[in-house]
Amino acid sequence: TSKAAQTMASASLAPYCLFIYSRSGKLLFHREWRAQKSTESGPSQQAQLLFGVLTTLEGIGPRLAPKSRGKPEATTDVHYYRAGKYAVHHYRSGTGWRFALLTNEDAPDCSPLLRQLYCDVFVPLVIRNPLADSSEPIALPLFDHEVDQLLLRSGATLAPPRPTAAAAGGASSHV
């Protein structure tokens, strides 16, 4: 069992939805497991708003971090934040891919799990797959399955995936 899975197994994790963005901010993948508050905005608008929030937090992080004297600069990446009834967990790869997982508010930091998703699922099935175009929405049933399996191994309680309409650019989950 991975370190991320062991950490997650000790706490309650109920994923609501997952967003994966390209380096340019394009929504490549969206998957929902639990109904969220009904809004007039669809997954595409939610994805754009979330991307904007993450980009903003990433931009102000270094400005808010205390200055260190004589020490190497500490990272100021935003890994997760809690707001009201949910938490947003974020992982940005060294090459700029972004993963955002919305969960229950008392879930522990899932950024190690998102890093594992990037390394163990995204890279092999999307980046290294000669038949997949990593600049286009992910439409691989095996990817969906592997995402679910990784979350289940981490101790997550998954509701059946909700069918999603194609988001801008066509990112959707095929169940």
Side-chain angles (χ1 to χ4, degrees):
T1 322
S2 73
K3 186 177 180 179
Q6 290 170 350
T7 301
M8 300 308 304
S10 64
S12 166
L13 173 60
Y16 299 155
C17 59
L18 172 68
F19 295 96
I20 299 176
Y21 303 94
S22 71
R23 293 174 250 199
S24 64
K26 180 180 178 182
L27 177 63
L28 297 180
F29 183 80
H30 171 251
R31 185 157 174 97
E32 276 189 39
W33 293 277
R34 286 178 170 70
Q36 295 181 289
K37 183 178 175 185
S38 178
T39 64
E40 293 179 19
S41 66
S44 177
Q45 189 171 6
Q46 290 173 339
Q48 289 174 343
L49 291 170
L50 181 59
F51 186 81
V53 167
L54 293 172
T55 302
T56 301
L57 289 173
E58 191 173 76
I60 64 172
R63 295 180 196 159
L64 298 175
K67 301 288 183 197
S68 58
R69 295 181 183 224
K71 298 178 185 173
E73 289 296 317
T75 179
T76 56
D77 294 344
V78 174
H79 297 288
Y80 74 103
Y81 69 90
R82 292 184 178 138
K85 305 259 181 204
Y86 67 94
V88 177
H89 308 267
H90 175 251
Y91 172 73
R92 183 175 180 180
S93 75
T95 54
W97 303 99
R98 292 177 187 251
F99 297 75
L101 180 67
L102 278 67
T103 68
N104 52 309
E105 72 276 8
D106 56 344
D109 178 12
C110 293
S111 56
L113 182 65
L114 292 174
R115 182 183 188 290
Q116 185 179 0
L117 172 64
Y118 169 74
C119 294
D120 297 347
V121 179
F122 184 78
V123 169
L125 295 178
V126 178
I127 301 299
R128 292 187 183 150
N129 182 347
L131 301 176
D133 182 350
S134 61
S135 66
E136 292 300 318
I138 300 167
L140 302 167
L142 179 59
F143 186 83
D144 294 352
H145 174 77
E146 291 298 320
V147 167
D148 288 348
Q149 291 305 305
L150 179 66
L151 289 168
L152 288 169
R153 284 191 306 270
S154 73
T157 305
L158 296 180
R162 294 177 39 133
T164 57
S172 67
S173 174
H174 299 278
V175 180

